[in-house]
Amino acid sequence: MKPVYFELEKESKSARAGKLHTQHGTISTPMFMPVGTAATVKSVSPEELRGLGAKIILSNAYHLYLRPGHKLVEKMGGLHSFMNWNGAILTDSGGFQVMSLSDLRKVTKDGVEFSSHIDGSKHFISPEKSMEIQRSLGSDIVMAFDECVKHPATYDEVRRSLDLTTDWEKRSRAYELKPHQGLFGILQGGMYPELRKLHYEMLKDVDFEGWAIGGLSVGEPPAMMYEMLDVSVPLLPKAKVRYLMGVGTPQDLVEGVARGVDIFDCVMPSRNARNGTLFTSVGKVHIKNAKYVEDNSPLDPNCDCYTCKGYSKSYLRHLFQAGEIFGSRLLTIHNLHYYINLMRQMREAILADRFDEFRAAFYGSYATNLAEEENKS
Amino acid sequence: MKPVYFELEKESKSARAGKLHTQHGTISTPMFMPVGTAATVKSVSPEELRGLGAKIILSNAYHLYLRPGHKLVEKMGGLHSFMNWNGAILTDSGGFQVMSLSDLRKVTKDGVEFSSHIDGSKHFISPEKSMEIQRSLGSDIVMAFDECVKHPATYDEVRRSLDLTTDWEKRSRAYELKPHQGLFGILQGGMYPELRKLHYEMLKDVDFEGWAIGGLSVGEPPAMMYEMLDVSVPLLPKAKVRYLMGVGTPQDLVEGVARGVDIFDCVMPSRNARNGTLFTSVGKVHIKNAKYVEDNSPLDPNCDCYTCKGYSKSYLRHLFQAGEIFGSRLLTIHNLHYYINLMRQMREAILADRFDEFRAAFYGSYATNLAEEENKS
């Protein structure tokens, strides 16, 4: 038995419910992974994450390589022990961060030379180096090292990148990980359906424990992302878990699940929370808004998270305006609850074979209110 | 029965154990009050405070008057409800903050005109205004409005101030508070024993529910503060609770209790935590120190707080260096635990009539290590 494997439980049209088994627990899918960039999901404790229903978090090879260093984390017993999280961990390969965060990036066939966004120091990451980092971190799910092409990119740019990224992903697979670790491949191909298909052909004989769809949510309109999902997901084997990287808004999660995606990660719920934007069952709340000064009601009348059970919008607005740490924490808890609860509701709908009804109801409440709010702002 | 009253349980020489009764619970003394300046003890939740053994917190009339406004807090059901804290709350009067935080301060017999440290706007606080603010906040213990003289001050400056501050405290007592609120008087007199005695004579016929010793920990050496306590505490009635304002270091707490003080507040444990300085049973830890990079042990080998049970110095240092919110939270929890646990140990020692032994043991471990550390730095 592989250390990481997927068990398909139920299909409701294209949407799926399943179980992703890891050596740090089993994750019921669809599932959202909170992002713990620097070995902490900003402001919340492992116990709070558990309480929210999180079973797996994402952390970043790039960030932990630069600070505090993957060898240090390994010495401290690995990332699970270091951050006191006994659930599953997925680490990304650093490919995306090298593209988005660092200057002076130089790509060769071997790997990428880049300068640290922290202190400008020079570094080199190859597929082998990325695997070494993720091996040291000891995550349950390791992502193959790929090249993330900037958006927009021409057909020829993306096509050329596929050769490089395929080579890098195969070199990732050839690297020996720890026995408990599984490796996921990443399907690239930009916004070109033919290149998505071509990339799957190039990679399909590599035995990954799961498949990610990469290179989306990079600035393209949602309709284009959904079109790429329509092309990409059906290429992937049914027996393997499907991961849509770095996505996205609540609608994106619903549309992703509708198309057969199983797991997601995104900084949006936690980052938006710290910036004062909350997701609720009745649309977005911008807590800074003056209309909440004397609003003694919770963020979301239909929410049973810790924040909504104990605190008013008036208090949350006060904490936000005063720059109080506890405000970030309360708002993060609410947004993560919203995301994880949305996944839970989708899973229940799939298991009951009524996902279409769920999706319609979602658009009837949240999305309508959201559109109204966005039209106003 | 008064809404706030003290019950003396035991004396061990000058040190006392007792119970301070309020309408939001009974506080076993000696006790330390965590500081929740802006209606939150920075980074920690009410449940965490409870878990640490906190029964009473301090909040600030000055800060809450400026933001979000005391009338708003009152509309939201009062401070307990606003911040979801069902334990006791003591509010200071704003006298100290007006002195320490604002520019353009102008003192008249009526009160103090000052400009906000947030936006420079002009405000006026009189004894009656301070009582109005604290009445709206609904704290259990209201502090009389006094004048805090800067240190150092001449004998004549302090003497003149006593007339003003006595008048203000009497006007504070004359103001009608809510039925559940008790008022504490404040003994001033600077660093002059005669003036401490004189001030008590001026105030002794005012029926306060408790007595605070103010104007200390303002930059004077510890020996001078202890000398002022030696003079001041014996003046105060045994039947009333004694509160040493804004104090202090762990040694200050031990020396205060030794002299008959019952309750304390200070930003030191929480502020030092956020700045990376931790109190432990074996002296101070500066978590930024490079020697902790690979230190997989907890902050304090003898501590059973949440932080010490789950996290290493290596991880805490990483969070601190990365500026992570969760680091502030973990470090704050540890320091507050240290302070509250120190008070608990002192209370147990007093009840067992072995406070002197406790004090000697304290100096044998903590203080010795502390002195060594400070000599090195």
Short mmCIF file of all heavy atoms in Angstrom, two decimals, chain A residues 180-238:
data_model
loop_
_atom_site.label_atom_id
_atom_site.label_comp_id
_atom_site.label_asym_id
_atom_site.label_seq_id
_atom_site.Cartn_x
_atom_site.Cartn_y
_atom_site.Cartn_z
N HIS A 180 7.06 7.70 4.45
CA HIS A 180 5.67 8.12 4.68
C HIS A 180 5.20 9.16 3.67
O HIS A 180 4.05 9.58 3.72
CB HIS A 180 5.51 8.68 6.10
CG HIS A 180 6.09 10.05 6.29
ND1 HIS A 180 7.43 10.27 6.53
CD2 HIS A 180 5.52 11.28 6.25
CE1 HIS A 180 7.65 11.58 6.65
NE2 HIS A 180 6.51 12.21 6.49
N GLN A 181 6.09 9.59 2.77
CA GLN A 181 5.75 10.69 1.88
C GLN A 181 5.22 10.22 0.52
O GLN A 181 5.75 9.28 -0.06
CB GLN A 181 6.98 11.58 1.65
CG GLN A 181 7.51 12.23 2.92
CD GLN A 181 8.65 13.20 2.67
OE1 GLN A 181 9.70 12.81 2.15
NE2 GLN A 181 8.43 14.46 3.03
N GLY A 182 4.21 10.92 0.02
CA GLY A 182 3.72 10.69 -1.33
C GLY A 182 4.01 11.91 -2.19
O GLY A 182 4.13 13.03 -1.69
N LEU A 183 4.14 11.69 -3.50
CA LEU A 183 4.47 12.78 -4.43
C LEU A 183 3.31 13.03 -5.38
O LEU A 183 2.76 12.09 -5.96
CB LEU A 183 5.73 12.41 -5.23
CG LEU A 183 6.22 13.46 -6.23
CD1 LEU A 183 6.86 14.65 -5.51
CD2 LEU A 183 7.21 12.86 -7.22
N PHE A 184 2.95 14.30 -5.54
CA PHE A 184 1.91 14.68 -6.50
C PHE A 184 2.56 15.33 -7.72
O PHE A 184 3.46 16.16 -7.59
CB PHE A 184 0.94 15.70 -5.89
CG PHE A 184 -0.07 15.12 -4.93
CD1 PHE A 184 0.06 13.83 -4.40
CD2 PHE A 184 -1.17 15.87 -4.54
CE1 PHE A 184 -0.87 13.32 -3.51
CE2 PHE A 184 -2.11 15.36 -3.65
CZ PHE A 184 -1.96 14.09 -3.13
N GLY A 185 2.08 14.94 -8.90
CA GLY A 185 2.48 15.61 -10.13
C GLY A 185 1.61 16.84 -10.37
O GLY A 185 0.55 17.00 -9.76
N ILE A 186 2.08 17.72 -11.24
CA ILE A 186 1.35 18.96 -11.51
C ILE A 186 1.13 19.11 -13.01
O ILE A 186 2.09 19.09 -13.80
CB ILE A 186 2.11 20.19 -10.99
CG1 ILE A 186 2.41 20.02 -9.48
CG2 ILE A 186 1.31 21.47 -11.24
CD1 ILE A 186 3.28 21.12 -8.90
N LEU A 187 -0.13 19.28 -13.37
CA LEU A 187 -0.47 19.48 -14.78
C LEU A 187 -0.41 20.96 -15.10
O LEU A 187 -1.12 21.77 -14.50
CB LEU A 187 -1.89 18.96 -15.03
CG LEU A 187 -2.33 18.94 -16.49
CD1 LEU A 187 -1.62 17.84 -17.27
CD2 LEU A 187 -3.84 18.79 -16.60
N GLN A 188 0.46 21.31 -16.06
CA GLN A 188 0.54 22.70 -16.51
C GLN A 188 -0.06 22.79 -17.91
O GLN A 188 -0.81 21.91 -18.32
CB GLN A 188 2.01 23.18 -16.48
CG GLN A 188 2.61 23.26 -15.07
CD GLN A 188 2.07 24.47 -14.28
OE1 GLN A 188 1.32 25.31 -14.80
NE2 GLN A 188 2.42 24.50 -13.00
N GLY A 189 0.25 23.86 -18.62
CA GLY A 189 -0.30 24.03 -19.96
C GLY A 189 -0.97 25.38 -20.16
O GLY A 189 -1.60 25.62 -21.19
N GLY A 190 -0.85 26.24 -19.17
CA GLY A 190 -1.35 27.61 -19.30
C GLY A 190 -2.83 27.64 -19.62
O GLY A 190 -3.61 26.83 -19.11
N MET A 191 -3.22 28.56 -20.48
CA MET A 191 -4.63 28.72 -20.82
C MET A 191 -4.93 28.09 -22.18
O MET A 191 -5.88 28.46 -22.86
CB MET A 191 -5.01 30.21 -20.80
CG MET A 191 -4.69 30.92 -19.48
SD MET A 191 -5.50 30.16 -18.01
CE MET A 191 -4.44 30.77 -16.68
N TYR A 192 -4.10 27.10 -22.55
CA TYR A 192 -4.24 26.47 -23.86
C TYR A 192 -4.70 25.02 -23.70
O TYR A 192 -3.92 24.15 -23.26
CB TYR A 192 -2.91 26.53 -24.61
CG TYR A 192 -2.44 27.96 -24.78
CD1 TYR A 192 -1.48 28.50 -23.93
CD2 TYR A 192 -3.00 28.79 -25.76
CE1 TYR A 192 -1.07 29.83 -24.06
CE2 TYR A 192 -2.60 30.11 -25.89
CZ TYR A 192 -1.63 30.62 -25.04
OH TYR A 192 -1.26 31.94 -25.17
N PRO A 193 -5.95 24.72 -24.05
CA PRO A 193 -6.48 23.37 -23.88
C PRO A 193 -5.59 22.30 -24.51
O PRO A 193 -5.35 21.25 -23.90
CB PRO A 193 -7.84 23.43 -24.59
CG PRO A 193 -8.26 24.87 -24.44
CD PRO A 193 -6.99 25.67 -24.53
N GLU A 194 -5.05 22.55 -25.70
CA GLU A 194 -4.22 21.54 -26.35
C GLU A 194 -2.98 21.25 -25.52
O GLU A 194 -2.49 20.12 -25.47
CB GLU A 194 -3.75 21.99 -27.75
CG GLU A 194 -4.81 22.63 -28.60
CD GLU A 194 -4.93 24.13 -28.32
OE1 GLU A 194 -5.60 24.49 -27.31
OE2 GLU A 194 -4.36 24.92 -29.07
N LEU A 195 -2.43 22.33 -24.89
CA LEU A 195 -1.20 22.14 -24.12
C LEU A 195 -1.50 21.43 -22.80
O LEU A 195 -0.66 20.69 -22.29
CB LEU A 195 -0.49 23.48 -23.89
CG LEU A 195 0.02 24.14 -25.18
CD1 LEU A 195 0.76 25.43 -24.88
CD2 LEU A 195 0.94 23.18 -25.97
N ARG A 196 -2.69 21.65 -22.24
CA ARG A 196 -3.09 20.88 -21.06
C ARG A 196 -3.11 19.38 -21.41
O ARG A 196 -2.59 18.54 -20.67
CB ARG A 196 -4.48 21.32 -20.59
CG ARG A 196 -4.53 22.73 -19.99
CD ARG A 196 -4.26 22.72 -18.49
NE ARG A 196 -3.85 24.03 -17.99
CZ ARG A 196 -3.35 24.24 -16.77
NH1 ARG A 196 -3.19 23.23 -15.92
NH2 ARG A 196 -2.99 25.43 -16.39
N LYS A 197 -3.73 19.08 -22.59
CA LYS A 197 -3.81 17.67 -23.01
C LYS A 197 -2.42 17.11 -23.30
O LYS A 197 -2.08 16.00 -22.89
CB LYS A 197 -4.69 17.55 -24.26
CG LYS A 197 -6.17 17.76 -23.96
CD LYS A 197 -7.01 17.80 -25.24
CE LYS A 197 -8.43 18.28 -24.94
NZ LYS A 197 -9.15 18.72 -26.14
N LEU A 198 -1.61 17.93 -23.97
CA LEU A 198 -0.26 17.49 -24.31
C LEU A 198 0.54 17.19 -23.04
O LEU A 198 1.25 16.18 -22.95
CB LEU A 198 0.46 18.56 -25.14
CG LEU A 198 1.95 18.29 -25.42
CD1 LEU A 198 2.14 17.00 -26.23
CD2 LEU A 198 2.60 19.47 -26.14
N HIS A 199 0.40 18.08 -22.04
CA HIS A 199 1.19 17.88 -20.82
C HIS A 199 0.78 16.60 -20.11
O HIS A 199 1.63 15.89 -19.55
CB HIS A 199 1.09 19.09 -19.88
CG HIS A 199 2.16 19.09 -18.82
ND1 HIS A 199 1.97 19.53 -17.54
CD2 HIS A 199 3.47 18.68 -18.88
CE1 HIS A 199 3.09 19.39 -16.84
NE2 HIS A 199 4.02 18.89 -17.63
N TYR A 200 -0.51 16.31 -20.13
CA TYR A 200 -0.91 15.05 -19.50
C TYR A 200 -0.30 13.86 -20.23
O TYR A 200 0.18 12.90 -19.61
CB TYR A 200 -2.43 14.90 -19.40
CG TYR A 200 -2.78 13.63 -18.66
CD1 TYR A 200 -2.55 13.53 -17.29
CD2 TYR A 200 -3.27 12.50 -19.34
CE1 TYR A 200 -2.80 12.35 -16.61
CE2 TYR A 200 -3.52 11.32 -18.66
CZ TYR A 200 -3.29 11.24 -17.29
OH TYR A 200 -3.52 10.07 -16.62
N GLU A 201 -0.27 13.93 -21.57
CA GLU A 201 0.35 12.85 -22.34
C GLU A 201 1.82 12.68 -21.97
O GLU A 201 2.33 11.57 -21.86
CB GLU A 201 0.22 13.12 -23.85
CG GLU A 201 -1.19 12.97 -24.39
CD GLU A 201 -1.76 11.56 -24.12
OE1 GLU A 201 -1.07 10.57 -24.40
OE2 GLU A 201 -2.90 11.48 -23.60
N MET A 202 2.49 13.82 -21.75
CA MET A 202 3.92 13.78 -21.44
C MET A 202 4.18 13.15 -20.06
O MET A 202 5.24 12.58 -19.82
CB MET A 202 4.52 15.20 -21.48
CG MET A 202 4.49 15.84 -22.88
SD MET A 202 4.79 17.64 -22.83
CE MET A 202 6.59 17.67 -22.75
N LEU A 203 3.21 13.30 -19.14
CA LEU A 203 3.42 12.88 -17.75
C LEU A 203 2.69 11.61 -17.35
O LEU A 203 2.95 11.06 -16.27
CB LEU A 203 2.96 14.00 -16.79
CG LEU A 203 3.88 15.19 -16.56
CD1 LEU A 203 3.18 16.19 -15.64
CD2 LEU A 203 5.21 14.75 -15.95
N LYS A 204 1.78 11.14 -18.20
CA LYS A 204 0.81 10.14 -17.73
C LYS A 204 1.44 8.83 -17.28
O LYS A 204 0.84 8.11 -16.48
CB LYS A 204 -0.27 9.89 -18.78
CG LYS A 204 0.20 9.11 -19.99
CD LYS A 204 -0.95 8.88 -20.95
CE LYS A 204 -0.43 8.12 -22.17
NZ LYS A 204 -1.46 8.04 -23.24
N ASP A 205 2.64 8.54 -17.75
CA ASP A 205 3.25 7.28 -17.34
C ASP A 205 4.05 7.39 -16.05
O ASP A 205 4.59 6.40 -15.56
CB ASP A 205 4.14 6.74 -18.47
CG ASP A 205 3.30 6.35 -19.68
OD1 ASP A 205 2.12 5.98 -19.47
OD2 ASP A 205 3.80 6.45 -20.81
N VAL A 206 4.12 8.62 -15.51
CA VAL A 206 4.80 8.77 -14.22
C VAL A 206 3.81 8.39 -13.12
O VAL A 206 2.67 8.83 -13.12
CB VAL A 206 5.29 10.22 -14.02
CG1 VAL A 206 6.10 10.33 -12.73
CG2 VAL A 206 6.10 10.69 -15.22
N ASP A 207 4.26 7.59 -12.18
CA ASP A 207 3.35 7.09 -11.15
C ASP A 207 3.30 8.03 -9.94
O ASP A 207 3.96 7.81 -8.93
CB ASP A 207 3.79 5.68 -10.73
CG ASP A 207 2.79 5.07 -9.75
OD1 ASP A 207 1.61 5.48 -9.76
OD2 ASP A 207 3.21 4.19 -8.98
N PHE A 208 2.51 9.07 -10.06
CA PHE A 208 2.32 9.99 -8.93
C PHE A 208 1.22 9.46 -8.01
O PHE A 208 0.30 8.79 -8.47
CB PHE A 208 1.92 11.39 -9.43
CG PHE A 208 2.99 12.09 -10.21
CD1 PHE A 208 2.79 12.43 -11.56
CD2 PHE A 208 4.19 12.46 -9.61
CE1 PHE A 208 3.77 13.10 -12.28
CE2 PHE A 208 5.18 13.12 -10.33
CZ PHE A 208 4.97 13.45 -11.67
N GLU A 209 1.30 9.86 -6.73
CA GLU A 209 0.24 9.45 -5.79
C GLU A 209 -1.00 10.34 -5.89
O GLU A 209 -2.04 10.05 -5.30
CB GLU A 209 0.76 9.45 -4.35
CG GLU A 209 1.53 8.19 -3.99
CD GLU A 209 2.96 8.19 -4.51
OE1 GLU A 209 3.68 9.18 -4.30
OE2 GLU A 209 3.37 7.20 -5.15
N GLY A 210 -0.87 11.44 -6.58
CA GLY A 210 -2.00 12.32 -6.79
C GLY A 210 -1.65 13.34 -7.86
O GLY A 210 -0.49 13.47 -8.25
N TRP A 211 -2.65 14.06 -8.32
CA TRP A 211 -2.44 15.02 -9.41
C TRP A 211 -2.92 16.40 -9.01
O TRP A 211 -4.04 16.56 -8.51
CB TRP A 211 -3.21 14.57 -10.65
CG TRP A 211 -2.54 13.46 -11.38
CD1 TRP A 211 -2.68 12.13 -11.17
CD2 TRP A 211 -1.59 13.60 -12.45
NE1 TRP A 211 -1.89 11.40 -12.02
CE2 TRP A 211 -1.21 12.29 -12.83
CE3 TRP A 211 -1.02 14.69 -13.12
CZ2 TRP A 211 -0.28 12.05 -13.85
CZ3 TRP A 211 -0.11 14.45 -14.14
CH2 TRP A 211 0.25 13.14 -14.50
N ALA A 212 -2.09 17.38 -9.32
CA ALA A 212 -2.50 18.76 -9.11
C ALA A 212 -2.69 19.45 -10.45
O ALA A 212 -2.07 19.07 -11.45
CB ALA A 212 -1.45 19.50 -8.30
N ILE A 213 -3.57 20.41 -10.45
CA ILE A 213 -3.74 21.27 -11.61
C ILE A 213 -3.11 22.61 -11.25
O ILE A 213 -3.56 23.28 -10.31
CB ILE A 213 -5.23 21.42 -11.96
CG1 ILE A 213 -5.81 20.02 -12.25
CG2 ILE A 213 -5.41 22.35 -13.14
CD1 ILE A 213 -7.30 19.94 -12.04
N GLY A 214 -2.03 22.94 -11.92
CA GLY A 214 -1.28 24.16 -11.60
C GLY A 214 -1.47 25.22 -12.66
O GLY A 214 -2.13 25.00 -13.69
N GLY A 215 -0.91 26.37 -12.41
CA GLY A 215 -0.91 27.44 -13.41
C GLY A 215 -2.25 28.12 -13.58
O GLY A 215 -2.45 28.85 -14.54
N LEU A 216 -3.18 27.89 -12.63
CA LEU A 216 -4.46 28.59 -12.69
C LEU A 216 -4.54 29.58 -11.52
O LEU A 216 -3.67 29.59 -10.65
CB LEU A 216 -5.62 27.60 -12.66
CG LEU A 216 -5.69 26.66 -13.88
CD1 LEU A 216 -6.87 25.70 -13.76
CD2 LEU A 216 -5.76 27.46 -15.19
N SER A 217 -5.58 30.41 -11.55
CA SER A 217 -5.73 31.46 -10.53
C SER A 217 -4.49 32.35 -10.51
O SER A 217 -3.97 32.71 -9.45
CB SER A 217 -5.96 30.82 -9.14
OG SER A 217 -6.50 31.76 -8.25
N VAL A 218 -4.03 32.69 -11.69
CA VAL A 218 -2.84 33.54 -11.82
C VAL A 218 -3.19 34.88 -12.46
O VAL A 218 -2.32 35.58 -12.98
CB VAL A 218 -1.74 32.84 -12.64
CG1 VAL A 218 -1.12 31.71 -11.83
CG2 VAL A 218 -2.29 32.32 -13.97
N GLY A 219 -4.48 35.23 -12.41
CA GLY A 219 -4.90 36.52 -12.96
C GLY A 219 -5.91 36.39 -14.09
O GLY A 219 -6.48 37.39 -14.54
N GLU A 220 -6.15 35.17 -14.56
CA GLU A 220 -7.12 34.97 -15.63
C GLU A 220 -8.55 35.13 -15.09
O GLU A 220 -8.77 34.95 -13.89
CB GLU A 220 -6.95 33.57 -16.25
CG GLU A 220 -7.54 32.39 -15.46
CD GLU A 220 -6.69 31.96 -14.26
OE1 GLU A 220 -5.72 32.65 -13.93
OE2 GLU A 220 -7.02 30.93 -13.65
N PRO A 221 -9.53 35.46 -15.96
CA PRO A 221 -10.92 35.56 -15.47
C PRO A 221 -11.44 34.18 -15.05
O PRO A 221 -10.97 33.15 -15.56
CB PRO A 221 -11.70 36.08 -16.68
CG PRO A 221 -10.81 35.94 -17.86
CD PRO A 221 -9.40 35.82 -17.37
N PRO A 222 -12.39 34.16 -14.09
CA PRO A 222 -12.91 32.88 -13.60
C PRO A 222 -13.40 31.97 -14.73
O PRO A 222 -13.15 30.76 -14.69
CB PRO A 222 -14.07 33.29 -12.68
CG PRO A 222 -13.70 34.65 -12.20
CD PRO A 222 -12.97 35.31 -13.34
N ALA A 223 -14.07 32.54 -15.72
CA ALA A 223 -14.61 31.70 -16.80
C ALA A 223 -13.49 30.93 -17.51
O ALA A 223 -13.66 29.77 -17.89
CB ALA A 223 -15.38 32.56 -17.81
N MET A 224 -12.34 31.58 -17.65
CA MET A 224 -11.22 30.91 -18.32
C MET A 224 -10.67 29.79 -17.44
O MET A 224 -10.34 28.70 -17.92
CB MET A 224 -10.12 31.93 -18.64
CG MET A 224 -8.97 31.33 -19.44
SD MET A 224 -7.70 32.57 -19.84
CE MET A 224 -8.49 33.43 -21.21
N MET A 225 -10.62 30.06 -16.12
CA MET A 225 -10.16 29.01 -15.21
C MET A 225 -11.10 27.81 -15.27
O MET A 225 -10.66 26.66 -15.35
CB MET A 225 -10.07 29.52 -13.77
CG MET A 225 -9.62 28.45 -12.80
SD MET A 225 -9.18 29.09 -11.19
CE MET A 225 -10.78 29.20 -10.43
N TYR A 226 -12.40 28.07 -15.27
CA TYR A 226 -13.37 26.96 -15.30
C TYR A 226 -13.24 26.19 -16.62
O TYR A 226 -13.36 24.96 -16.65
CB TYR A 226 -14.79 27.48 -15.10
CG TYR A 226 -14.99 28.26 -13.80
CD1 TYR A 226 -15.98 29.24 -13.70
CD2 TYR A 226 -14.19 28.03 -12.69
CE1 TYR A 226 -16.15 29.97 -12.52
CE2 TYR A 226 -14.35 28.75 -11.51
CZ TYR A 226 -15.33 29.72 -11.42
OH TYR A 226 -15.50 30.44 -10.27
N GLU A 227 -12.96 26.90 -17.70
CA GLU A 227 -12.78 26.24 -19.00
C GLU A 227 -11.56 25.32 -18.94
O GLU A 227 -11.59 24.19 -19.43
CB GLU A 227 -12.62 27.32 -20.09
CG GLU A 227 -12.65 26.78 -21.51
CD GLU A 227 -12.14 27.82 -22.51
OE1 GLU A 227 -12.35 29.04 -22.26
OE2 GLU A 227 -11.50 27.41 -23.50
N MET A 228 -10.49 25.81 -18.32
CA MET A 228 -9.28 24.99 -18.20
C MET A 228 -9.55 23.76 -17.34
O MET A 228 -9.02 22.68 -17.60
CB MET A 228 -8.11 25.81 -17.61
CG MET A 228 -7.55 26.85 -18.56
SD MET A 228 -7.04 26.17 -20.16
CE MET A 228 -8.28 26.93 -21.22
N LEU A 229 -10.39 23.94 -16.29
CA LEU A 229 -10.75 22.77 -15.47
C LEU A 229 -11.57 21.78 -16.29
O LEU A 229 -11.37 20.56 -16.18
CB LEU A 229 -11.56 23.22 -14.25
CG LEU A 229 -10.79 23.91 -13.13
CD1 LEU A 229 -11.75 24.28 -12.00
CD2 LEU A 229 -9.66 23.02 -12.60
N ASP A 230 -12.48 22.31 -17.12
CA ASP A 230 -13.30 21.43 -17.96
C ASP A 230 -12.43 20.56 -18.86
O ASP A 230 -12.75 19.41 -19.15
CB ASP A 230 -14.25 22.27 -18.84
CG ASP A 230 -15.42 22.82 -18.03
OD1 ASP A 230 -15.79 22.20 -17.01
OD2 ASP A 230 -15.95 23.88 -18.41
N VAL A 231 -11.31 21.13 -19.29
CA VAL A 231 -10.39 20.39 -20.14
C VAL A 231 -9.50 19.45 -19.32
O VAL A 231 -9.27 18.31 -19.70
CB VAL A 231 -9.48 21.38 -20.92
CG1 VAL A 231 -8.39 20.62 -21.67
CG2 VAL A 231 -10.30 22.24 -21.85
N SER A 232 -9.04 19.96 -18.17
CA SER A 232 -7.97 19.25 -17.46
C SER A 232 -8.46 18.09 -16.61
O SER A 232 -7.86 17.00 -16.63
CB SER A 232 -7.22 20.23 -16.53
OG SER A 232 -6.71 21.31 -17.28
N VAL A 233 -9.52 18.32 -15.83
CA VAL A 233 -9.92 17.28 -14.87
C VAL A 233 -10.22 15.95 -15.54
O VAL A 233 -9.77 14.90 -15.06
CB VAL A 233 -11.09 17.77 -13.98
CG1 VAL A 233 -11.51 16.68 -13.01
CG2 VAL A 233 -10.70 19.04 -13.23
N PRO A 234 -10.97 15.95 -16.66
CA PRO A 234 -11.29 14.65 -17.28
C PRO A 234 -10.06 13.87 -17.75
O PRO A 234 -10.14 12.66 -17.97
CB PRO A 234 -12.18 15.03 -18.46
CG PRO A 234 -12.75 16.37 -18.10
CD PRO A 234 -11.66 17.06 -17.34
N LEU A 235 -8.92 14.57 -17.92
CA LEU A 235 -7.71 13.87 -18.33
C LEU A 235 -7.18 12.98 -17.21
O LEU A 235 -6.54 11.96 -17.46
CB LEU A 235 -6.60 14.88 -18.68
CG LEU A 235 -6.89 15.89 -19.80
CD1 LEU A 235 -5.81 16.97 -19.81
CD2 LEU A 235 -6.93 15.16 -21.15
N LEU A 236 -7.45 13.38 -15.97
CA LEU A 236 -6.77 12.77 -14.82
C LEU A 236 -7.45 11.45 -14.43
O LEU A 236 -8.66 11.29 -14.58
CB LEU A 236 -6.78 13.74 -13.64
CG LEU A 236 -6.16 15.11 -13.93
CD1 LEU A 236 -6.30 16.03 -12.72
CD2 LEU A 236 -4.69 14.97 -14.32
N PRO A 237 -6.65 10.51 -13.90
CA PRO A 237 -7.22 9.21 -13.52
C PRO A 237 -8.21 9.35 -12.35
O PRO A 237 -7.94 10.08 -11.41
CB PRO A 237 -5.99 8.40 -13.08
CG PRO A 237 -4.94 9.41 -12.77
CD PRO A 237 -5.20 10.59 -13.64
N LYS A 238 -9.31 8.66 -12.47
CA LYS A 238 -10.35 8.74 -11.43
C LYS A 238 -9.85 8.26 -10.08
O LYS A 238 -10.33 8.69 -9.04
CB LYS A 238 -11.55 7.87 -11.83
CG LYS A 238 -12.49 8.55 -12.77
CD LYS A 238 -13.88 7.93 -12.69
CE LYS A 238 -14.87 8.79 -13.47
NZ LYS A 238 -16.26 8.35 -13.33
#
